[in-house]
Amino acid sequence: MSSQSLDLTVVGWIGTEVRIHHESDGGVPFTTFRLGSTRRWFDKQAGVWKDAQTEWFNVKVWRTTALNAARSLRKGDPVIVQGQLSTEEWVGADGPRTSLVLDAIALGPNLAFGSSHFARTVSPSAAAGEASPADVSGLEEVPEDEEAGLTPVLDEEQEPALAGAR
């Protein structure tokens, strides 16, 4: 990434069908979808949750990540998307228009709202010897118990449920 980019991480929900496309000049696959993100906070005085305006982003994902996104994500899914923000301008029926575009580098389901099963894909370029992410599946897991000197961090909702287990 260049030092002059606007890098952004957005947490939100997929608002449209996830569509896969191929560029006509080179056949590079890319996937697009709309992502909505609404800031939410608790108003202590009123005792209710309040929502700000929903911000919408056009997300574009390229190459192998595009194929994985098209296989894995659906409209309505909660996601986390990290990428570079830009704008696209065009002239529509209502005149000049602008949209926010998030060119995704990394994305995935937001596990705060559900579970997921990860399945590694092997691309033809990785098989040909190009650099790929390190496989850490054979490494030993560090124990998370009191003997190792580590204590799990629990939030207030988890604490009562575990009190009976001690």
Side-chain angles (χ1 to χ4, degrees), residues 2-154:
S2 88
S3 62
Q4 300 298 315
S5 65
L6 180 56
D7 298 332
L8 185 67
T9 301
V10 178
V11 177
W13 298 81
I14 298 176
T16 61
E17 295 300 326
V18 178
R19 292 190 174 97
I20 186 130
H21 311 273
H22 295 276
E23 282 190 331
S24 58
D25 56 23
V28 177
F30 68 100
T31 298
T32 60
F33 60 88
R34 298 264 294 155
L35 174 67
S37 181
T38 307
R39 189 172 67 89
R40 177 169 243 225
W41 71 96
F42 188 75
D43 184 341
K44 290 180 184 179
Q45 291 179 343
V48 296
W49 285 95
K50 294 202 173 185
D51 292 334
Q53 174 180 323
T54 300
E55 301 296 337
W56 288 96
F57 301 86
N58 291 328
V59 177
K60 290 185 179 179
V61 189
W62 299 90
R63 296 180 177 75
T64 304
T65 310
L67 300 173
N68 290 338
R71 287 186 201 114
S72 305
L73 303 174
R74 300 288 172 259
K75 180 179 179 178
D77 285 352
V79 293
I80 301 171
V81 181
Q82 192 273 326
Q84 295 177 330
L85 186 66
S86 63
T87 58
E88 282 186 354
E89 298 176 357
W90 74 97
V91 178
D94 299 333
R97 305 288 306 238
T98 303
S99 63
L100 296 172
V101 177
L102 189 56
D103 198 2
I105 296 166
L107 72 158
N110 184 346
L111 298 180
F113 296 99
S115 64
S116 178
H117 172 77
F118 179 80
R120 183 180 304 271
T121 57
V122 179
S123 68
S125 60
E130 289 186 21
S132 62
D135 181 5
V136 296
S137 61
L139 298 179
E140 182 179 338
E141 186 174 341
V142 177
E144 292 188 35
D145 57 12
E146 294 175 8
E147 293 173 14
L150 300 174
T151 308
V153 177
L154 303 175

